[in-house]
């Protein structure tokens, strides 16, 4: 009898430090990933970290994408900014093009865009904002896929603008019964135990279910799973997860 080997796409937000040492720390995670989202100067990242992260990703065979956010390094892009829509969109275009230029210099084609932090959450809760962002993507970066929550605003907007959409699940974050992520300010919203994260991954892969904050079962059909690289458990989680997945005939690809 032939053993069925299944694949899972695991993405990670990287390049969010400021130094070469931060990039070296990121590189430790790369053997356990298939895709990375690289900060491009809005909430984090700079013209030192972008090319180093891209080169490291290339050496590990990872798909690379842009990880733009609110232009607010003081709050790491985790606070909603009340700025003009045109200013926000101009900033996103600049961020993505900056990373794209570094990628092209290395012969890398970017594959996707994933919003960061507060902007990710704001766009998932506002179809108007999501539509403006996806219109910008369609105009400037139509070849790139968009990552977002399944059955939420970004998916609807991406489809309306003819963009490829990849539904994203999270291994290290708690969910609300609405399908949105629980706010980081809420106790227990960010998992700090690797086993809890792994159990959530296996539930999504096998039953397409997660247990929400209020004890309900939420069905998720996803194309990619996110590991947050800035988590204190990230490296232990990534290596342990690979072992657990391999034992169950899953490969990261």
């Amino acid at each position: 009898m032939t053993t069925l080997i299944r694949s899972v796409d695991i993405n990670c937000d990287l390049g969010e430090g400021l130094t070469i040492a931060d990039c070296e720390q990121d590189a430790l995670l790369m053997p356990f990933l298939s895709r990375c989202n690289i900060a491009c100067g809005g909430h984090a990242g700079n013209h030192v970290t972008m090319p180093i992260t891209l080169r490291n990703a290339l050496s590990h065979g990872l798909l690379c994408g842009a990880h733009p956010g609110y232009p607010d390094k003081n709050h790491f892009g985790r606070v909603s900014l009340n700025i003009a829509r045109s200013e926000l969109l101009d900033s996103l275009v600049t961020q993505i093009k900056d990373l794209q230029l570094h990628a092209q210099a290395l012969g890398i084609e970017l594959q996707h865009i994933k919003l960061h932090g507060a902007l990710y959450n704001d766009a998932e809760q506002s179809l108007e904002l999501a539509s403006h962002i996806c219109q910008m993507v369609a105009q400037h970066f139509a070849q790139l896929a968009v990552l977002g929550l399944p059955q939420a605003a970004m998916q609807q907007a991406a489809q309306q603008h003819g963009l490829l959409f990849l539904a994203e699940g999270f291994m290290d974050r708690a969910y609300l019964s609405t399908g949105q992520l629980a706010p980081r300010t809420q106790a227990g919203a960010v998992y700090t135990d690797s086993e809890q994260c792994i159990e959530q991954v296996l539930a999504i892969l096998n039953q397409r279910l997660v247990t929400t904050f209020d004890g309900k079962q939420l069905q998720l059909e996803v194309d990619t799973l996110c590991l947050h690289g800035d988590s204190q458990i990230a490296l232990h989680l990534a290596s342990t997860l690979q072992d657990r997945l391999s034992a169950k005939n899953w490969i990261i690809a």
Side-chain angles (χ1 to χ4, degrees):
M1 182 178 295
T2 302
T3 301
L4 177 64
I5 304 295
R6 298 164 291 180
S7 65
V8 55
D9 182 56
I10 295 182
N11 76 80
C12 188
D13 307 335
L14 298 177
E16 294 183 314
L18 297 172
T19 67
I20 295 174
D22 294 327
C23 295
E24 292 173 348
Q25 188 68 28
D26 281 352
L28 298 177
L29 290 168
M30 290 184 175
F32 311 108
L33 309 173
S34 49
R35 183 186 302 270
C36 62
N37 324 304
I38 301 174
C40 33
H43 71 285
N46 53 48
H47 290 290
V48 172
T49 59
M50 280 187 272
I52 294 174
T53 305
L54 284 162
R55 282 197 295 269
N56 288 339
L58 179 63
S59 69
H60 286 87
L62 303 187
L63 300 179
C64 297
H67 192 44
Y70 282 120
D72 182 17
K73 290 185 178 180
N74 289 335
H75 299 98
F76 197 66
R78 287 184 173 156
V79 176
S80 298
L81 289 188
N82 183 22
I83 61 176
R85 186 62 46 84
S86 60
E87 182 182 349
L88 172 62
L89 296 176
D90 287 346
S91 174
L92 296 179
V93 171
T94 297
Q95 291 178 53
I96 298 166
K97 284 187 174 180
D98 281 351
L99 181 68
Q100 194 172 53
L101 286 173
H102 285 295
Q104 289 170 346
L106 295 167
I108 297 172
E109 290 190 16
L110 297 184
Q111 301 294 318
H112 64 274
I113 295 170
K114 175 185 169 181
L115 302 177
H116 168 78
L119 184 58
Y120 186 106
N121 294 329
D122 290 348
E124 291 294 10
Q125 296 174 38
S126 168
L127 182 57
E128 180 186 10
L129 176 58
S131 183
H132 280 291
I133 292 172
C134 286
Q135 184 178 31
M136 174 275 293
V137 174
Q139 179 180 352
H140 296 278
F141 313 101
Q143 76 280 13
L144 302 184
V146 174
L147 272 64
L149 296 177
Q151 306 303 318
M154 281 297 284
Q155 180 170 9
Q156 184 176 343
Q159 292 170 345
Q160 288 175 347
H161 291 279
L163 300 171
L164 176 63
F165 180 81
L166 299 178
E168 180 180 35
F170 289 81
M171 63 180 73
D172 48 16
R173 293 291 303 277
Y175 282 86
L176 303 175
S177 56
T178 60
Q180 301 287 326
L181 297 176
R184 284 179 173 269
T185 53
Q186 195 165 348
V190 179
Y191 297 159
T192 58
D193 178 70
S194 294
E195 190 61 31
Q196 186 178 20
C197 299
I198 292 170
E199 289 303 317
Q200 183 149 295
V201 169
L202 296 176
I204 293 172
L205 293 179
N206 295 321
Q207 293 88 34
R208 299 178 178 175
L209 295 174
V210 295
T211 301
T212 64
F213 251 14
D214 53 3
K216 296 183 179 179
Q217 294 292 307
L218 178 67
Q219 187 166 17
L220 293 179
E221 294 192 29
V222 303
D223 303 301
T224 183
L225 285 164
C226 175
L227 163 71
H228 281 101
D230 60 350
S231 164
Q232 292 185 351
I233 64 169
L235 185 56
H236 177 264
L237 169 58
S239 60
T240 305
L241 176 62
Q242 184 184 64
D243 291 341
R244 292 281 291 276
L245 290 175
S246 179
K248 296 181 180 296
N249 299 317
W250 286 90
I251 61 171
I252 299 170

